[in-house]
Each structure stands twice: as C-alpha cells, then as structure tokens.
Amino acid sequence: IMRFASLGSGSQGNALVVEVKQTRVMLDCGFGINEMVSRLSRLELTPQQLSAIVVTHEHSDHIGGVVKFARKFNLPVWLTFGTASVFEDEFSSLPQLFHIVAHQRFSIGDIELEPFPVPHDAREPAQFVFGDGAKRLGVLTDTGSSTSHIESVLSCCDALVLECNYDLEMLKNGSYPVPVKQRISGRFGHLSNDEAANLLANLDCSRLQHLIAAHLSQNNNTPELARSALSRVLNCEPEWVGVADQQNGFTWHEIS
C-alpha cells in the first residue's frame, strides 16, 4: 500500500510525506523543528520514522527547516546540484547529502523517485513522481508554466498533487505590487487555477484515484475556485477534488 499526506501547503511552509511499507520520504521541509514535530504527530508519525528528506528547490517555504531538522534527526537529504549550491556551506555540514540529476530516477528504500525539471525562478528546481513499482503519485507545485515533458511524466498517475496558486482576476485586482503580480503570473512563477486545469486536460487521467489542489495563495485564491477549475476538466463533483491547505495540509490518502 502506498499512501501520502501533507503537513501544510502554501507560501508559509510546505512538507509532504509519502509512505510505502517502512519507507517514508518527506518532500520539502519549510517549517521549524517544533512545528514539524507537531505536524508529523497529527499523522501519527515521529521524525525518527522518516527515511529521508527530498528538496524541490531553495525557496524558504520549501527548504527553510531542512538543515536543522536533518541534522537533529540524522536524516539523509536529496537535492539537485543547483539547489545545494545556494546554501553550500550549510548543506556540506550535513551527515548524509545526495545529489539528484533532474532526469535520473533513484530509489530510497521501497520508493522510486522520478525527478523532472520545472520552469520556476530558482537555481535548479525539480518536482517528482513517487512510485512503488505499480502505483504512481505525481507532485507538481512551484512551476510557472507547463511543458510537454512535465505532461508526459505526469500522465497515467494514480494520484496527483497539483499547484493551483492563484485566480487570475483575484491576483490582478489584489493588493500585491505590480512586480510581484508579474513574478507570480510569469513563466517562472506559479500556476493559476486555469493553467492547472489546462495542464490536467493534457494528461491521461484514466488511473486517477486522488486529485489534490495545492499551494493555494491565501490572498489570491479560494478552495472553491481551485476545485471548480479542476473538476470541470474531469467532469466530477467539485468535492471530489481535495485541497491542501496551509494550516492542516491534508490527511493520509491511500492509493489502492
């Protein structure tokens, strides 16, 4: 059985756990140690039960807690050369550091990871598909646009966590300074609800058991708008689409 849960998703911090048998990989760690321990306990996990931390990119809401948490609980960390280069001194002091090549699959215990590069304003950002040999979970956040490679990798997933960062009208009419609006909506920023829906429409969704909208902006989006955009593509009830929120993430979802 493969299952996954989120400890929180959004600009204040991100972390996601994927479990296959006794292997538990945490994707990103954007919270402090005490907050992480508290959020893990909601999933009935302790830090000692984690196998590794995998990092997507160097923005603080994804990487902020990685070094201290990994050091305290002696966890191996996996990240791209580009991401590692941003905090070279801090990461070189970790007990176990592994580098990811963006087109090369690798395994951590019972979980196979397939990294893929994404257009985002970071040094060498990657997102991931997690697999157990039969089932596949695709995760895509922090990308400003889709690519044919992203779509080919995310086709035929059994579960998908997909960025729906903003509603274009809310962003346009919101209070953010113009350069920030341009960054968010640009090719290396984040996906809007409509862009996420367009991407979803290009995927083979025949095996999809779970779809979660993630990394929603607290100022420029609502869960209802994100659900509505994605459910229209799948022709399903909006309630079928899950939402990862900042405070609670989402609880365990099993891929059967």
Side-chain angles (χ1 to χ4, degrees):
I1 291 173
M2 183 176 179
R3 62 180 193 156
F4 63 102
S6 166
L7 304 176
S9 178
S11 58
Q12 259 80 62
N14 297 272
L16 179 110
V17 180
V18 184
E19 177 186 278
V20 176
K21 297 177 186 165
Q22 292 307 302
T23 304
R24 295 176 193 90
V25 171
M26 186 159 76
L27 182 67
D28 290 334
C29 177
F31 304 101
I33 290 176
N34 294 341
E35 185 68 18
M36 280 301 306
V37 171
S38 151
R39 287 173 182 247
L40 281 166
S41 72
R42 295 197 304 233
L43 302 175
E44 295 178 17
L45 287 181
T46 64
Q48 290 79 2
Q49 289 173 291
L50 296 173
S51 312
I53 302 175
V54 176
V55 181
T56 57
H57 65 298
E58 73 273 14
H59 292 160
S60 61
D61 54 323
H62 296 265
I63 208 171
V66 171
V67 172
K68 285 180 178 166
F69 194 81
R71 195 177 287 141
K72 183 169 174 72
F73 299 106
N74 196 28
L75 287 166
V77 174
W78 298 73
L79 72 183
T80 64
F81 286 96
T83 302
S85 73
V86 182
F87 299 106
E88 212 159 342
D89 296 345
E90 286 180 66
F91 278 105
S92 60
S93 67
L94 286 178
Q96 303 172 73
L97 190 67
F98 299 94
H99 289 106
I100 294 163
V101 178
H103 290 280
Q104 214 166 304
R105 294 177 189 212
F106 61 99
S107 290
I108 298 172
D110 290 304
I111 298 177
E112 184 184 69
L113 293 93
E114 181 179 358
F116 56 95
V118 294
H120 190 53
D121 53 2
R123 193 73 63 88
E124 193 188 352
Q127 296 287 319
F128 296 87
V129 172
F130 298 83
D132 66 354
K135 305 294 179 190
R136 298 170 78 241
L137 158 68
V139 179
L140 177 67
T141 67
D142 298 79
T143 183
S145 40
S146 185
T147 66
S148 54
H149 181 60
I150 288 174
E151 288 165 11
S152 74
V153 174
L154 292 181
S155 272
C156 299
C157 280
D158 301 274
L160 194 56
V161 175
L162 180 59
E163 172 168 65
C164 290
N165 182 255
Y166 63 95
D167 170 77
L168 189 54
E169 288 306 307
M170 282 182 77
L171 179 68
K172 268 188 192 164
N173 301 320
S175 59
Y176 284 11
V178 169
V180 176
K181 291 181 182 182
Q182 287 171 338
R183 180 199 156 252
I184 291 169
S185 61
R187 208 161 64 84
F188 296 96
H190 292 277
L191 289 183
S192 70
N193 296 336
D194 289 344
E195 288 168 331
N198 290 341
L199 189 162
L200 187 65
N202 290 333
L203 303 183
D204 178 341
C205 294
S206 56
R207 287 168 45 175
L208 204 57
Q209 299 174 29
H210 303 286
L211 174 63
I212 315 270
H215 218 301
L216 273 68
S217 164
Q218 289 175 299
N219 298 312
N220 302 307
N221 209 353
T222 68
E224 293 71 29
L225 287 169
R227 279 197 168 106
S228 165
L230 298 185
S231 62
R232 277 199 299 271
V233 175
L234 295 182
N235 207 11
C236 66
E237 291 297 317
E239 292 70 36
W240 188 81
V241 178
V243 172
D245 79 10
Q246 183 66 79
Q247 196 46 48
N248 303 307
F250 56 81
T251 192
W252 289 111
H253 284 59
E254 243 174 55
I255 304 175
S256 51

